Every structure is written in C-alpha cells, then in structure tokens.
Amino acid sequence: MKAAYITETGPAESIQFGDLDAPTVGDGQLLIRNHAVSVNPIDTYVRSGLVAFDLPSPFIPGSDAAGIVEAVGDGVDSFAVGDRVWCTNQGLLGRQGTFAQQIAIDAQWCFPLPEGIDFSTAAANALVGVTAHLGLFRCGALQPGETVCVIGGTGGVGAMVVQMAKAAGASVITTAGTDEKCQRATELGADHVVNYSTDSIAESVKRIAPEGVNLYWETRRMPNFDEAIDLLAPRGRMVVMAGRDSRPEFPVGPFYVKECSLHGFVMFKASPQEMRHCADDMNRWMSEGKLRANIAHQLPLSDAAEAHRIQEAENVGGKIVLTA
Ligand SMILES: NC(=O)c1ccc[n+]([C@@H]2O[C@H](COP(=O)([O-])OP(=O)(O)OC[C@H]3O[C@@H](n4cnc5c(N)ncnc54)[C@H](OP(=O)(O)O)[C@@H]3O)[C@@H](O)[C@H]2O)c1
C-alpha cells in the first residue's frame, strides 16, 4: 500500500511517500481502507521531534482518518466489514498514524460515520471536534444561554468551538484576522466576530458582553491572562490547550476574587469512553448540519510533505484534508 512516512524525525521534507507493507488486523482492531485524513498541528510536532514519543520505524504521521472497514479483528462486535467509520487519536503516544491507504486501528478509537456525511468532513472534524467537545463540556461545563468567547474562530479547533457552543445554546463571540475570515466565522454561526487586526479584542468583547463572558477559550500559544480574566464574568471558566513553552504572567488576585477557574487539557489523554461521548454528539450534530467542516486545502495523500509545510508556514484558516 502507499503511505506517507518518516524514518527519522525532522522537517516536513523528511516525509517520504511510497510503498509500505499493508497492516494486518489484530485483536480488538479494525482494518480500514482510508478515504480521507487531515493534518493537525500536533502531527508536525511529532514529525519534527518537538513532542517526543517512542515512534515505530517507519513512522506514519497523522491522527485522523475516515474510511471503510475491510476487516474486523477478534473481539470486535460493534463494527462489521463495509461499515463507514472515522477515527482519531492515532500517531500519538507511540501509536502508528493514519497517512496511509490502509490502517489497523484499535476499535475503541473508531466511531461510526453516519450516512450523508462525507469522508473529508469526518476526517477534518475528528481531532479538533473531540478537542472542542472536551474543552466546552468536560472542562468548561458550558450551559445553554451562557456566553463563550473563543480566540481564533476560523482555526481548526476554533471553528469547532464556535459551532458546538452554538449547538449547545450559547451565545458566541470570536476573533479572526481578516475580513474574509470574519465572514467565514459568521457563516459558522458566531454571533459576534472581532477583526483583531483592526480592533482591540479587549475593548470589543467588553462592549459586546459588559457583564463578562462565562467561558473564555484561548487557542493562541501565548495566553494574555490579564486580558482574559478581565473579560470573564464572575465564576467564569477559562480553557487553555496550546503553548507548551509559554510562561505568561498570571493575575492571581483578580482571578480568585472573581472566583474563576482555569482548565488545561490534551485531547489525546481522554479515555475511549470520553471520546465516544464526544463522537456521539459530533455525529448527531454533523447529521443535523450543525457541525460543518472548515476545510482550507484538499490535497492527495502523496502531497503529505507539502501539507505539513502549509500547516507550519501559514495561518491556515481551516483544515488541510488529504484524500487517499
Ligand atoms: N490540547 C489539545 O488537546 C489540543 C488539540 C488541538 C490543538 N491544540 C493546539 O491548539 C492550537 C490551535 O490549533 P488549531 O488546529 O486550531 O490551529 P490553527 O488551525 O492554526 O488555528 C490557529 C488560530 O489562531 C488564530 N491566531 C493566530 N495568531 C493570532 C493572533 N495573534 N491573535 C488572534 N488570533 C490568532 C488564527 O486566527 P487567524 O487565522 O484569523 O489569524 C487561527 O484561528 C495549536 O497550538 C495546537 O497545537 C491543542
């Protein structure tokens, strides 16, 4: 089978594309014929060695995929040959990744793909959707009628946060860096969009939500805690999930006097049960048209190195999907 792979960590150019032995299905696994995969920033950190896992060699990058089940391993009774499925949380913690024509995945990371949802949508929404769900509901305990502010509403994660918060009955304020991206954020359902290259986020959010926001989601790698905590309502929750090397200042006094809470997490540490809970809601929302993919680039799988280059070089403005 054809696959994108590395034999040692390094820059995007270290990704090769060629023939590897097809995987065989093990106990508790599904063998999936891939139709689409997507790129996430963490794929580039693992490929470069920035996030160090004990990798198999050759190592196939990629967390997300969607395709059709070709074989079912012993002990799996929830899937059958021919089922349409999507999966996430691969290529992490030393597991082999998804950028191949065929993948063998533990069934616990696989979810049914409802009829009418295309493979590219499922692959594009996989990791970022689970991330948004964990942050909004497990960490942030979002309630209908609350106000969410998410920085970066057209990014991979941000576009999911906007749509899921709306699906849950919240009011959503978000930011984007160009008029075009602001328009896109509005199309995704945001109630208010701040163009951060022309307007101050702090002043705009204060004007839109003078009582404060209930949940503030920071997707940037360097949170501004002074600004965020000032924008939170009493007992507001803040979510952080990026910036491993960030060491920003933290306004302890304003934070505890307002009785705020701060939540950090990585999606790949969620349990299979927690991910299934996220996937169930995602499947329902995708079927209802409430969770659409925000795809910026579609490329063939053979362009995996180029896809990593784009992810690292540009402010991508959505997901990069590769079709297998
Ligand atoms: N902890 C976890 O489980 C987890 C899961 C997924 C991702 N992550 C991390 O979360 C981060 C975001 O991931 P992603 O996939 O959403 O990335 P992405 O698609 O590249 O999105 C980044 C977003 O940040 C915005 N942004 C960049 N610079 C900004 C600035 N100066 N001011 C305001 N907004 C700015 C961009 O908006 P514009 O394009 O409008 O500039 C864009 O919307 C990455 O660091 C990733 O590694 C963590």
Side-chain angles (χ1 to χ4, degrees), residues 245-278:
D245 299 325
S246 293
R247 301 290 185 276
E249 287 189 11
F250 192 87
V252 173
F255 174 75
Y256 82 85
V257 170
K258 229 184 210 183
E259 301 189 300
C260 295
S261 58
L262 178 63
H263 302 263
F265 73 102
V266 283
M267 64 75 67
F268 59 78
K269 289 187 177 168
S271 69
Q273 292 74 22
E274 287 173 322
M275 289 214 189
R276 179 158 294 273
H277 178 56
C278 302

PDB file of all heavy atoms in Angstrom, residues 245-278:
ATOM      1  N   ASP A 245       5.583  25.823  25.742  1.00  0.00           N
ATOM      2  CA  ASP A 245       6.714  26.568  26.324  1.00  0.00           C
ATOM      3  C   ASP A 245       6.298  27.907  26.908  1.00  0.00           C
ATOM      4  O   ASP A 245       7.146  28.671  27.369  1.00  0.00           O
ATOM      5  CB  ASP A 245       7.788  26.794  25.245  1.00  0.00           C
ATOM      6  CG  ASP A 245       8.317  25.483  24.721  1.00  0.00           C
ATOM      7  OD1 ASP A 245       8.422  24.537  25.523  1.00  0.00           O
ATOM      8  OD2 ASP A 245       8.600  25.390  23.506  1.00  0.00           O
ATOM      9  N   SER A 246       4.984  28.206  26.891  1.00  0.00           N
ATOM     10  CA  SER A 246       4.528  29.519  27.363  1.00  0.00           C
ATOM     11  C   SER A 246       4.672  29.652  28.872  1.00  0.00           C
ATOM     12  O   SER A 246       4.326  28.741  29.615  1.00  0.00           O
ATOM     13  CB  SER A 246       3.054  29.730  27.007  1.00  0.00           C
ATOM     14  OG  SER A 246       2.903  29.817  25.622  1.00  0.00           O
ATOM     15  N   ARG A 247       5.137  30.787  29.290  1.00  0.00           N
ATOM     16  CA  ARG A 247       5.246  31.085  30.730  1.00  0.00           C
ATOM     17  C   ARG A 247       4.729  32.499  30.970  1.00  0.00           C
ATOM     18  O   ARG A 247       5.464  33.366  31.446  1.00  0.00           O
ATOM     19  CB  ARG A 247       6.712  30.982  31.200  1.00  0.00           C
ATOM     20  CG  ARG A 247       7.358  29.614  30.994  1.00  0.00           C
ATOM     21  CD  ARG A 247       6.779  28.562  31.941  1.00  0.00           C
ATOM     22  NE  ARG A 247       7.492  27.287  31.823  1.00  0.00           N
ATOM     23  CZ  ARG A 247       7.229  26.349  30.895  1.00  0.00           C
ATOM     24  NH1 ARG A 247       6.267  26.548  30.001  1.00  0.00           N
ATOM     25  NH2 ARG A 247       7.906  25.223  30.874  1.00  0.00           N
ATOM     26  N   PRO A 248       3.429  32.762  30.638  1.00  0.00           N
ATOM     27  CA  PRO A 248       2.921  34.136  30.768  1.00  0.00           C
ATOM     28  C   PRO A 248       2.709  34.530  32.227  1.00  0.00           C
ATOM     29  O   PRO A 248       2.621  33.662  33.111  1.00  0.00           O
ATOM     30  CB  PRO A 248       1.573  34.069  30.040  1.00  0.00           C
ATOM     31  CG  PRO A 248       1.170  32.645  30.116  1.00  0.00           C
ATOM     32  CD  PRO A 248       2.406  31.820  30.175  1.00  0.00           C
ATOM     33  N   GLU A 249       2.597  35.836  32.448  1.00  0.00           N
ATOM     34  CA  GLU A 249       2.265  36.314  33.796  1.00  0.00           C
ATOM     35  C   GLU A 249       0.828  35.957  34.112  1.00  0.00           C
ATOM     36  O   GLU A 249      -0.003  35.797  33.213  1.00  0.00           O
ATOM     37  CB  GLU A 249       2.450  37.830  33.853  1.00  0.00           C
ATOM     38  CG  GLU A 249       3.897  38.229  33.846  1.00  0.00           C
ATOM     39  CD  GLU A 249       4.089  39.707  34.134  1.00  0.00           C
ATOM     40  OE1 GLU A 249       3.124  40.384  34.551  1.00  0.00           O
ATOM     41  OE2 GLU A 249       5.215  40.176  33.929  1.00  0.00           O
ATOM     42  N   PHE A 250       0.539  35.834  35.408  1.00  0.00           N
ATOM     43  CA  PHE A 250      -0.815  35.421  35.807  1.00  0.00           C
ATOM     44  C   PHE A 250      -1.324  36.318  36.927  1.00  0.00           C
ATOM     45  O   PHE A 250      -0.697  36.402  37.998  1.00  0.00           O
ATOM     46  CB  PHE A 250      -0.797  33.962  36.276  1.00  0.00           C
ATOM     47  CG  PHE A 250      -2.172  33.378  36.436  1.00  0.00           C
ATOM     48  CD1 PHE A 250      -2.815  32.792  35.368  1.00  0.00           C
ATOM     49  CD2 PHE A 250      -2.833  33.454  37.652  1.00  0.00           C
ATOM     50  CE1 PHE A 250      -4.096  32.282  35.502  1.00  0.00           C
ATOM     51  CE2 PHE A 250      -4.116  32.938  37.793  1.00  0.00           C
ATOM     52  CZ  PHE A 250      -4.746  32.353  36.720  1.00  0.00           C
ATOM     53  N   PRO A 251      -2.484  36.979  36.728  1.00  0.00           N
ATOM     54  CA  PRO A 251      -3.014  37.898  37.743  1.00  0.00           C
ATOM     55  C   PRO A 251      -3.787  37.147  38.840  1.00  0.00           C
ATOM     56  O   PRO A 251      -5.017  37.037  38.782  1.00  0.00           O
ATOM     57  CB  PRO A 251      -3.930  38.812  36.929  1.00  0.00           C
ATOM     58  CG  PRO A 251      -4.421  37.932  35.830  1.00  0.00           C
ATOM     59  CD  PRO A 251      -3.337  36.956  35.521  1.00  0.00           C
ATOM     60  N   VAL A 252      -3.064  36.646  39.811  1.00  0.00           N
ATOM     61  CA  VAL A 252      -3.674  35.796  40.842  1.00  0.00           C
ATOM     62  C   VAL A 252      -4.838  36.496  41.542  1.00  0.00           C
ATOM     63  O   VAL A 252      -5.920  35.912  41.717  1.00  0.00           O
ATOM     64  CB  VAL A 252      -2.600  35.368  41.870  1.00  0.00           C
ATOM     65  CG1 VAL A 252      -3.244  34.626  43.042  1.00  0.00           C
ATOM     66  CG2 VAL A 252      -1.548  34.501  41.195  1.00  0.00           C
ATOM     67  N   GLY A 253      -4.627  37.750  41.932  1.00  0.00           N
ATOM     68  CA  GLY A 253      -5.658  38.455  42.708  1.00  0.00           C
ATOM     69  C   GLY A 253      -6.993  38.536  41.982  1.00  0.00           C
ATOM     70  O   GLY A 253      -8.009  38.007  42.466  1.00  0.00           O
ATOM     71  N   PRO A 254      -7.020  39.173  40.784  1.00  0.00           N
ATOM     72  CA  PRO A 254      -8.290  39.277  40.056  1.00  0.00           C
ATOM     73  C   PRO A 254      -8.922  37.921  39.781  1.00  0.00           C
ATOM     74  O   PRO A 254     -10.141  37.781  39.782  1.00  0.00           O
ATOM     75  CB  PRO A 254      -7.888  39.967  38.741  1.00  0.00           C
ATOM     76  CG  PRO A 254      -6.632  40.702  39.070  1.00  0.00           C
ATOM     77  CD  PRO A 254      -5.925  39.897  40.120  1.00  0.00           C
ATOM     78  N   PHE A 255      -8.087  36.905  39.575  1.00  0.00           N
ATOM     79  CA  PHE A 255      -8.586  35.565  39.222  1.00  0.00           C
ATOM     80  C   PHE A 255      -9.376  34.955  40.381  1.00  0.00           C
ATOM     81  O   PHE A 255     -10.520  34.523  40.211  1.00  0.00           O
ATOM     82  CB  PHE A 255      -7.391  34.681  38.858  1.00  0.00           C
ATOM     83  CG  PHE A 255      -7.721  33.237  38.603  1.00  0.00           C
ATOM     84  CD1 PHE A 255      -8.333  32.850  37.419  1.00  0.00           C
ATOM     85  CD2 PHE A 255      -7.392  32.257  39.538  1.00  0.00           C
ATOM     86  CE1 PHE A 255      -8.623  31.512  37.175  1.00  0.00           C
ATOM     87  CE2 PHE A 255      -7.677  30.928  39.293  1.00  0.00           C
ATOM     88  CZ  PHE A 255      -8.291  30.556  38.109  1.00  0.00           C
ATOM     89  N   TYR A 256      -8.801  34.969  41.596  1.00  0.00           N
ATOM     90  CA  TYR A 256      -9.526  34.262  42.655  1.00  0.00           C
ATOM     91  C   TYR A 256     -10.638  35.106  43.267  1.00  0.00           C
ATOM     92  O   TYR A 256     -11.672  34.576  43.681  1.00  0.00           O
ATOM     93  CB  TYR A 256      -8.567  33.703  43.721  1.00  0.00           C
ATOM     94  CG  TYR A 256      -8.081  34.649  44.791  1.00  0.00           C
ATOM     95  CD1 TYR A 256      -8.841  34.889  45.946  1.00  0.00           C
ATOM     96  CD2 TYR A 256      -6.860  35.293  44.672  1.00  0.00           C
ATOM     97  CE1 TYR A 256      -8.380  35.746  46.932  1.00  0.00           C
ATOM     98  CE2 TYR A 256      -6.409  36.144  45.650  1.00  0.00           C
ATOM     99  CZ  TYR A 256      -7.172  36.370  46.782  1.00  0.00           C
ATOM    100  OH  TYR A 256      -6.726  37.223  47.748  1.00  0.00           O
ATOM    101  N   VAL A 257     -10.446  36.416  43.251  1.00  0.00           N
ATOM    102  CA  VAL A 257     -11.500  37.272  43.818  1.00  0.00           C
ATOM    103  C   VAL A 257     -12.770  37.169  42.959  1.00  0.00           C
ATOM    104  O   VAL A 257     -13.890  37.218  43.464  1.00  0.00           O
ATOM    105  CB  VAL A 257     -10.991  38.724  43.945  1.00  0.00           C
ATOM    106  CG1 VAL A 257     -12.132  39.668  44.297  1.00  0.00           C
ATOM    107  CG2 VAL A 257      -9.890  38.796  45.003  1.00  0.00           C
ATOM    108  N   LYS A 258     -12.580  36.961  41.638  1.00  0.00           N
ATOM    109  CA  LYS A 258     -13.733  36.771  40.744  1.00  0.00           C
ATOM    110  C   LYS A 258     -14.246  35.332  40.769  1.00  0.00           C
ATOM    111  O   LYS A 258     -15.207  34.997  40.085  1.00  0.00           O
ATOM    112  CB  LYS A 258     -13.291  37.118  39.314  1.00  0.00           C
ATOM    113  CG  LYS A 258     -14.214  38.057  38.577  1.00  0.00           C
ATOM    114  CD  LYS A 258     -13.696  38.214  37.156  1.00  0.00           C
ATOM    115  CE  LYS A 258     -14.021  39.551  36.595  1.00  0.00           C
ATOM    116  NZ  LYS A 258     -13.592  39.697  35.209  1.00  0.00           N
ATOM    117  N   GLU A 259     -13.562  34.489  41.508  1.00  0.00           N
ATOM    118  CA  GLU A 259     -13.914  33.062  41.630  1.00  0.00           C
ATOM    119  C   GLU A 259     -13.912  32.351  40.278  1.00  0.00           C
ATOM    120  O   GLU A 259     -14.816  31.575  39.955  1.00  0.00           O
ATOM    121  CB  GLU A 259     -15.273  32.895  42.330  1.00  0.00           C
ATOM    122  CG  GLU A 259     -15.292  33.508  43.710  1.00  0.00           C
ATOM    123  CD  GLU A 259     -16.551  33.155  44.475  1.00  0.00           C
ATOM    124  OE1 GLU A 259     -17.652  33.498  43.994  1.00  0.00           O
ATOM    125  OE2 GLU A 259     -16.426  32.527  45.536  1.00  0.00           O
ATOM    126  N   CYS A 260     -12.873  32.632  39.489  1.00  0.00           N
ATOM    127  CA  CYS A 260     -12.764  31.999  38.169  1.00  0.00           C
ATOM    128  C   CYS A 260     -12.084  30.633  38.294  1.00  0.00           C
ATOM    129  O   CYS A 260     -11.532  30.294  39.335  1.00  0.00           O
ATOM    130  CB  CYS A 260     -11.933  32.879  37.239  1.00  0.00           C
ATOM    131  SG  CYS A 260     -12.728  34.454  36.892  1.00  0.00           S
ATOM    132  N   SER A 261     -12.127  29.868  37.230  1.00  0.00           N
ATOM    133  CA  SER A 261     -11.364  28.614  37.194  1.00  0.00           C
ATOM    134  C   SER A 261     -10.652  28.504  35.848  1.00  0.00           C
ATOM    135  O   SER A 261     -11.106  29.064  34.840  1.00  0.00           O
ATOM    136  CB  SER A 261     -12.263  27.403  37.445  1.00  0.00           C
ATOM    137  OG  SER A 261     -13.295  27.361  36.490  1.00  0.00           O
ATOM    138  N   LEU A 262      -9.536  27.790  35.864  1.00  0.00           N
ATOM    139  CA  LEU A 262      -8.689  27.641  34.679  1.00  0.00           C
ATOM    140  C   LEU A 262      -8.565  26.155  34.376  1.00  0.00           C
ATOM    141  O   LEU A 262      -8.283  25.361  35.283  1.00  0.00           O
ATOM    142  CB  LEU A 262      -7.301  28.234  34.959  1.00  0.00           C
ATOM    143  CG  LEU A 262      -6.258  28.125  33.858  1.00  0.00           C
ATOM    144  CD1 LEU A 262      -6.694  28.884  32.615  1.00  0.00           C
ATOM    145  CD2 LEU A 262      -4.908  28.664  34.355  1.00  0.00           C
ATOM    146  N   HIS A 263      -8.794  25.786  33.100  1.00  0.00           N
ATOM    147  CA  HIS A 263      -8.809  24.369  32.725  1.00  0.00           C
ATOM    148  C   HIS A 263      -7.827  24.131  31.580  1.00  0.00           C
ATOM    149  O   HIS A 263      -7.935  24.772  30.538  1.00  0.00           O
ATOM    150  CB  HIS A 263     -10.207  23.964  32.276  1.00  0.00           C
ATOM    151  CG  HIS A 263     -11.245  24.208  33.320  1.00  0.00           C
ATOM    152  ND1 HIS A 263     -11.696  23.237  34.166  1.00  0.00           N
ATOM    153  CD2 HIS A 263     -11.892  25.344  33.674  1.00  0.00           C
ATOM    154  CE1 HIS A 263     -12.584  23.750  34.998  1.00  0.00           C
ATOM    155  NE2 HIS A 263     -12.719  25.030  34.723  1.00  0.00           N
ATOM    156  N   GLY A 264      -6.896  23.214  31.776  1.00  0.00           N
ATOM    157  CA  GLY A 264      -5.982  22.824  30.714  1.00  0.00           C
ATOM    158  C   GLY A 264      -6.154  21.336  30.430  1.00  0.00           C
ATOM    159  O   GLY A 264      -6.489  20.567  31.335  1.00  0.00           O
ATOM    160  N   PHE A 265      -5.937  20.957  29.181  1.00  0.00           N
ATOM    161  CA  PHE A 265      -6.079  19.528  28.844  1.00  0.00           C
ATOM    162  C   PHE A 265      -5.399  19.237  27.514  1.00  0.00           C
ATOM    163  O   PHE A 265      -5.135  20.149  26.724  1.00  0.00           O
ATOM    164  CB  PHE A 265      -7.573  19.125  28.756  1.00  0.00           C
ATOM    165  CG  PHE A 265      -8.267  19.660  27.534  1.00  0.00           C
ATOM    166  CD1 PHE A 265      -8.517  18.843  26.441  1.00  0.00           C
ATOM    167  CD2 PHE A 265      -8.646  20.990  27.455  1.00  0.00           C
ATOM    168  CE1 PHE A 265      -9.136  19.340  25.305  1.00  0.00           C
ATOM    169  CE2 PHE A 265      -9.265  21.498  26.331  1.00  0.00           C
ATOM    170  CZ  PHE A 265      -9.512  20.669  25.256  1.00  0.00           C
ATOM    171  N   VAL A 266      -5.090  17.968  27.283  1.00  0.00           N
ATOM    172  CA  VAL A 266      -4.707  17.489  25.938  1.00  0.00           C
ATOM    173  C   VAL A 266      -5.693  16.396  25.551  1.00  0.00           C
ATOM    174  O   VAL A 266      -6.011  15.516  26.366  1.00  0.00           O
ATOM    175  CB  VAL A 266      -3.269  16.926  25.868  1.00  0.00           C
ATOM    176  CG1 VAL A 266      -2.252  18.052  25.850  1.00  0.00           C
ATOM    177  CG2 VAL A 266      -2.979  15.958  26.991  1.00  0.00           C
ATOM    178  N   MET A 267      -6.187  16.486  24.332  1.00  0.00           N
ATOM    179  CA  MET A 267      -7.254  15.550  23.917  1.00  0.00           C
ATOM    180  C   MET A 267      -6.772  14.106  23.932  1.00  0.00           C
ATOM    181  O   MET A 267      -7.540  13.189  24.192  1.00  0.00           O
ATOM    182  CB  MET A 267      -7.830  15.942  22.550  1.00  0.00           C
ATOM    183  CG  MET A 267      -6.930  15.894  21.350  1.00  0.00           C
ATOM    184  SD  MET A 267      -6.531  14.257  20.689  1.00  0.00           S
ATOM    185  CE  MET A 267      -8.124  13.736  20.089  1.00  0.00           C
ATOM    186  N   PHE A 268      -5.451  13.894  23.645  1.00  0.00           N
ATOM    187  CA  PHE A 268      -5.007  12.507  23.488  1.00  0.00           C
ATOM    188  C   PHE A 268      -4.952  11.749  24.811  1.00  0.00           C
ATOM    189  O   PHE A 268      -4.734  10.546  24.818  1.00  0.00           O
ATOM    190  CB  PHE A 268      -3.688  12.413  22.703  1.00  0.00           C
ATOM    191  CG  PHE A 268      -2.511  13.139  23.293  1.00  0.00           C
ATOM    192  CD1 PHE A 268      -1.808  12.611  24.354  1.00  0.00           C
ATOM    193  CD2 PHE A 268      -2.082  14.338  22.737  1.00  0.00           C
ATOM    194  CE1 PHE A 268      -0.701  13.274  24.875  1.00  0.00           C
ATOM    195  CE2 PHE A 268      -0.989  15.014  23.248  1.00  0.00           C
ATOM    196  CZ  PHE A 268      -0.292  14.474  24.316  1.00  0.00           C
ATOM    197  N   LYS A 269      -5.177  12.455  25.932  1.00  0.00           N
ATOM    198  CA  LYS A 269      -5.245  11.749  27.208  1.00  0.00           C
ATOM    199  C   LYS A 269      -6.681  11.414  27.617  1.00  0.00           C
ATOM    200  O   LYS A 269      -6.911  10.827  28.669  1.00  0.00           O
ATOM    201  CB  LYS A 269      -4.564  12.572  28.308  1.00  0.00           C
ATOM    202  CG  LYS A 269      -3.053  12.610  28.150  1.00  0.00           C
ATOM    203  CD  LYS A 269      -2.373  13.274  29.335  1.00  0.00           C
ATOM    204  CE  LYS A 269      -0.857  13.205  29.159  1.00  0.00           C
ATOM    205  NZ  LYS A 269      -0.164  14.076  30.129  1.00  0.00           N
ATOM    206  N   ALA A 270      -7.659  11.776  26.791  1.00  0.00           N
ATOM    207  CA  ALA A 270      -9.046  11.419  27.099  1.00  0.00           C
ATOM    208  C   ALA A 270      -9.213   9.901  26.958  1.00  0.00           C
ATOM    209  O   ALA A 270      -8.558   9.267  26.121  1.00  0.00           O
ATOM    210  CB  ALA A 270      -9.999  12.143  26.145  1.00  0.00           C
ATOM    211  N   SER A 271     -10.090   9.331  27.752  1.00  0.00           N
ATOM    212  CA  SER A 271     -10.319   7.883  27.693  1.00  0.00           C
ATOM    213  C   SER A 271     -11.164   7.553  26.447  1.00  0.00           C
ATOM    214  O   SER A 271     -11.852   8.433  25.904  1.00  0.00           O
ATOM    215  CB  SER A 271     -11.059   7.419  28.941  1.00  0.00           C
ATOM    216  OG  SER A 271     -12.385   7.925  28.906  1.00  0.00           O
ATOM    217  N   PRO A 272     -11.149   6.288  26.024  1.00  0.00           N
ATOM    218  CA  PRO A 272     -12.018   5.900  24.901  1.00  0.00           C
ATOM    219  C   PRO A 272     -13.488   6.217  25.171  1.00  0.00           C
ATOM    220  O   PRO A 272     -14.211   6.644  24.268  1.00  0.00           O
ATOM    221  CB  PRO A 272     -11.792   4.387  24.785  1.00  0.00           C
ATOM    222  CG  PRO A 272     -10.446   4.156  25.377  1.00  0.00           C
ATOM    223  CD  PRO A 272     -10.289   5.177  26.469  1.00  0.00           C
ATOM    224  N   GLN A 273     -13.927   6.050  26.419  1.00  0.00           N
ATOM    225  CA  GLN A 273     -15.332   6.344  26.753  1.00  0.00           C
ATOM    226  C   GLN A 273     -15.613   7.836  26.595  1.00  0.00           C
ATOM    227  O   GLN A 273     -16.663   8.241  26.076  1.00  0.00           O
ATOM    228  CB  GLN A 273     -15.651   5.908  28.193  1.00  0.00           C
ATOM    229  CG  GLN A 273     -15.633   4.410  28.421  1.00  0.00           C
ATOM    230  CD  GLN A 273     -14.223   3.815  28.442  1.00  0.00           C
ATOM    231  OE1 GLN A 273     -13.231   4.514  28.693  1.00  0.00           O
ATOM    232  NE2 GLN A 273     -14.125   2.528  28.159  1.00  0.00           N
ATOM    233  N   GLU A 274     -14.664   8.668  27.065  1.00  0.00           N
ATOM    234  CA  GLU A 274     -14.855  10.121  26.920  1.00  0.00           C
ATOM    235  C   GLU A 274     -14.905  10.503  25.434  1.00  0.00           C
ATOM    236  O   GLU A 274     -15.717  11.331  25.024  1.00  0.00           O
ATOM    237  CB  GLU A 274     -13.723  10.874  27.626  1.00  0.00           C
ATOM    238  CG  GLU A 274     -13.843  10.827  29.143  1.00  0.00           C
ATOM    239  CD  GLU A 274     -12.625  11.426  29.848  1.00  0.00           C
ATOM    240  OE1 GLU A 274     -11.482  11.231  29.369  1.00  0.00           O
ATOM    241  OE2 GLU A 274     -12.811  12.057  30.890  1.00  0.00           O
ATOM    242  N   MET A 275     -14.028   9.885  24.630  1.00  0.00           N
ATOM    243  CA  MET A 275     -14.026  10.218  23.193  1.00  0.00           C
ATOM    244  C   MET A 275     -15.314   9.762  22.521  1.00  0.00           C
ATOM    245  O   MET A 275     -15.840  10.436  21.634  1.00  0.00           O
ATOM    246  CB  MET A 275     -12.815   9.593  22.511  1.00  0.00           C
ATOM    247  CG  MET A 275     -11.538  10.279  22.915  1.00  0.00           C
ATOM    248  SD  MET A 275     -10.344  10.335  21.603  1.00  0.00           S
ATOM    249  CE  MET A 275      -8.949  10.951  22.544  1.00  0.00           C
ATOM    250  N   ARG A 276     -15.828   8.611  22.944  1.00  0.00           N
ATOM    251  CA  ARG A 276     -17.077   8.124  22.339  1.00  0.00           C
ATOM    252  C   ARG A 276     -18.226   9.087  22.647  1.00  0.00           C
ATOM    253  O   ARG A 276     -19.074   9.360  21.799  1.00  0.00           O
ATOM    254  CB  ARG A 276     -17.414   6.715  22.846  1.00  0.00           C
ATOM    255  CG  ARG A 276     -18.716   6.180  22.270  1.00  0.00           C
ATOM    256  CD  ARG A 276     -18.797   4.687  22.325  1.00  0.00           C
ATOM    257  NE  ARG A 276     -17.811   4.061  21.465  1.00  0.00           N
ATOM    258  CZ  ARG A 276     -17.993   3.800  20.171  1.00  0.00           C
ATOM    259  NH1 ARG A 276     -19.143   4.104  19.588  1.00  0.00           N
ATOM    260  NH2 ARG A 276     -17.058   3.226  19.457  1.00  0.00           N
ATOM    261  N   HIS A 277     -18.216   9.615  23.861  1.00  0.00           N
ATOM    262  CA  HIS A 277     -19.236  10.587  24.239  1.00  0.00           C
ATOM    263  C   HIS A 277     -19.155  11.813  23.308  1.00  0.00           C
ATOM    264  O   HIS A 277     -20.181  12.298  22.809  1.00  0.00           O
ATOM    265  CB  HIS A 277     -19.036  10.972  25.712  1.00  0.00           C
ATOM    266  CG  HIS A 277     -19.980  11.997  26.216  1.00  0.00           C
ATOM    267  ND1 HIS A 277     -21.351  11.846  26.140  1.00  0.00           N
ATOM    268  CD2 HIS A 277     -19.764  13.209  26.785  1.00  0.00           C
ATOM    269  CE1 HIS A 277     -21.928  12.919  26.647  1.00  0.00           C
ATOM    270  NE2 HIS A 277     -20.991  13.771  27.034  1.00  0.00           N
ATOM    271  N   CYS A 278     -17.930  12.290  23.076  1.00  0.00           N
ATOM    272  CA  CYS A 278     -17.744  13.417  22.140  1.00  0.00           C
ATOM    273  C   CYS A 278     -18.233  13.022  20.742  1.00  0.00           C
ATOM    274  O   CYS A 278     -18.946  13.786  20.076  1.00  0.00           O
ATOM    275  CB  CYS A 278     -16.265  13.797  22.024  1.00  0.00           C
ATOM    276  SG  CYS A 278     -15.457  14.267  23.551  1.00  0.00           S
TER     277      CYS A 278
END
